[in-house]
Amino acid sequence: MMDAETADLLGESLERAFRHAAAAEVEAALDEVGWREALAEEGGAVVPLLFTRQGMANAASGALDDLLTAALGLPADAGTAFVLPEFGGYGAPGSTEDGALALRGLGTARMSGAARAVVLAAGRDGALRAFTVETGKLGVRPIGGVDPRLGLVAVEGRGLTASGGSAITAAAWEGALAAGRAAVACELIGASRTMLRLAREHAVTRVQFGRPIGAFQAVRHRLAESLVAIESAEAAATAAIEPDGGVSPLPAGMAKALAGRNARTVARHCQQVLAGVGFTAEHDFHHYFRRILTLDGLLGDARTLTRELGEGLLRDRRLPAAPCL
């Protein structure tokens, strides 16, 4: 396991990497830091170190591509992207029939410049296989939407050759989903922390009636409730990552749902504290608000995950074991 000193050094290096503006520059900086090597050695233990900082910086990278590709046991590199499920969903984005592969999903900022992409596809019998296809054979279309800075793209393909591929068990896909959900949860937490920082800075500098607005109880309560929401989401994300670097599917789903819901709570309170300035294009708050709305929809949104987790608990009549912290 990574010791505390090494984790601090890696965290500082990752923080510097996310100071770059363009996604390509971030990718190059992550290569220099050795992100993929750390992922191979430490597994999920490095997920909070990277994705929390990525969320705090409102940055975009292909780190999620690396994480999901490696979680399926496939080689991850800067030239390999991963086709994500469509927004709000988490099923396999591809399907195979009569030797042909069709797909419809999302790609991160890496997709446009990648040479190849990993696609998880389900056969007619439900069996899963992972295919690696050339991105030149795919239709890749930039997505504007609420957060164009994230660099998401729509990815489509039809009539592709579905030969070879790696067999993927349902358990392996659940494990990859768990790792991805833990990562996105950490990114939501990072974005929430920056929203709270921006609101706090405004509260101590904005003066009304001769006093900083942070002196008023109503403002303090909103900031305090935001902090509680962030800390509870972080506790859930921490509990989802096991000491050996593995990620548990059920706790990861709970962490992703909680992080998505709590990020909206933080955004609502911080917008109230920031008041009119929070609506302006010049202030950074709206970039983070847009980011959490988008991140919530990746690999299952909070509402869908909460409903399905609840249905599972009612069906099994058994609560999950409490994590050992």
Side-chain angles (χ1 to χ4, degrees):
M1 289 180 60
M2 187 183 301
D3 58 58
E5 183 178 0
T6 302
D8 289 341
L9 290 173
L10 178 58
E12 292 173 3
S13 298
L14 291 170
E15 191 169 331
R16 288 194 295 272
F18 289 124
R19 291 173 186 166
H20 296 280
E25 294 175 333
V26 173
E27 292 269 13
L30 291 180
D31 278 345
E32 186 176 347
V33 169
W35 143 248
R36 278 181 291 275
E37 290 80 0
L39 175 63
E41 292 178 7
E42 304 294 338
V46 299
V47 165
L49 291 175
L50 186 143
F51 286 93
T52 302
R53 286 167 173 79
Q54 182 164 289
M56 291 174 70
N58 199 242
S61 76
L64 187 60
D65 300 75
D66 294 328
L67 180 64
L68 293 172
T69 300
L72 291 181
L74 302 174
D77 58 66
T80 302
F82 193 96
V83 179
L84 301 171
E86 291 190 90
F87 193 79
Y90 53 86
S95 61
T96 57
E97 186 172 355
D98 299 329
L101 169 66
L103 64 100
R104 184 186 177 105
L106 297 176
T108 70
R110 177 183 291 179
M111 183 65 72
S112 298
R116 67 200 71 87
V118 174
V119 182
L120 185 72
R124 188 180 297 178
D125 59 355
L128 298 173
R129 298 190 73 83
F131 299 91
T132 301
V133 300
E134 297 177 12
T135 53
K137 298 179 179 179
L138 303 175
V140 178
R141 174 176 54 83
I143 297 175
V146 71
D147 185 19
R149 288 166 58 117
L150 184 56
L152 288 180
V153 295
V155 185
E156 295 185 5
R158 298 187 66 84
L160 303 173
T161 302
S163 60
S166 303
I168 304 295
T169 65
W173 176 231
E174 286 184 4
L177 269 179
R181 285 170 174 168
V184 178
C186 289
E187 194 166 352
L188 282 160
I189 292 164
S192 297
R193 286 201 179 279
T194 298
M195 287 192 293
L196 178 57
R197 176 181 62 78
L198 293 172
R200 179 191 173 278
E201 289 174 353
H202 181 74
V204 299
T205 57
R206 177 76 167 108
V207 175
Q208 285 186 338
F209 306 109
R211 303 166 64 188
I213 63 171
F216 298 111
Q217 190 176 56
V219 172
R220 289 184 175 185
H221 282 177
R222 290 192 180 277
L223 295 177
E225 288 177 17
S226 295
L227 180 60
V228 169
I230 293 170
E231 294 294 334
S232 62
E234 186 169 70
T238 300
I241 301 174
E242 299 170 347
D244 62 357
V247 183
S248 300
L250 180 58
M254 295 170 65
K256 171 66 168 56
L258 188 64
R261 187 193 69 180
N262 286 12
R264 290 173 181 265
T265 297
V266 173
R268 184 173 66 252
H269 286 317
C270 291
Q271 177 64 82
Q272 289 292 326
V273 172
L274 288 163
V277 72
F279 290 104
T280 63
E282 291 77 11
H283 199 277
D284 284 340
F285 172 78
H286 73 98
H287 294 305
Y288 291 89
F289 191 11
R290 292 167 181 266
R291 183 59 49 90
I292 64 148
L293 294 176
T294 306
L295 291 175
D296 182 41
L298 298 183
L299 305 180
D301 60 80
R303 182 172 297 180
T304 299
L305 289 175
T306 300
R307 183 183 67 249
E308 294 188 358
L309 288 167
E311 289 173 350
L313 292 176
L314 291 173
R315 182 179 61 252
D316 298 338
R317 300 288 182 179
R318 184 164 55 89
L319 291 173
C324 297
L325 300 177

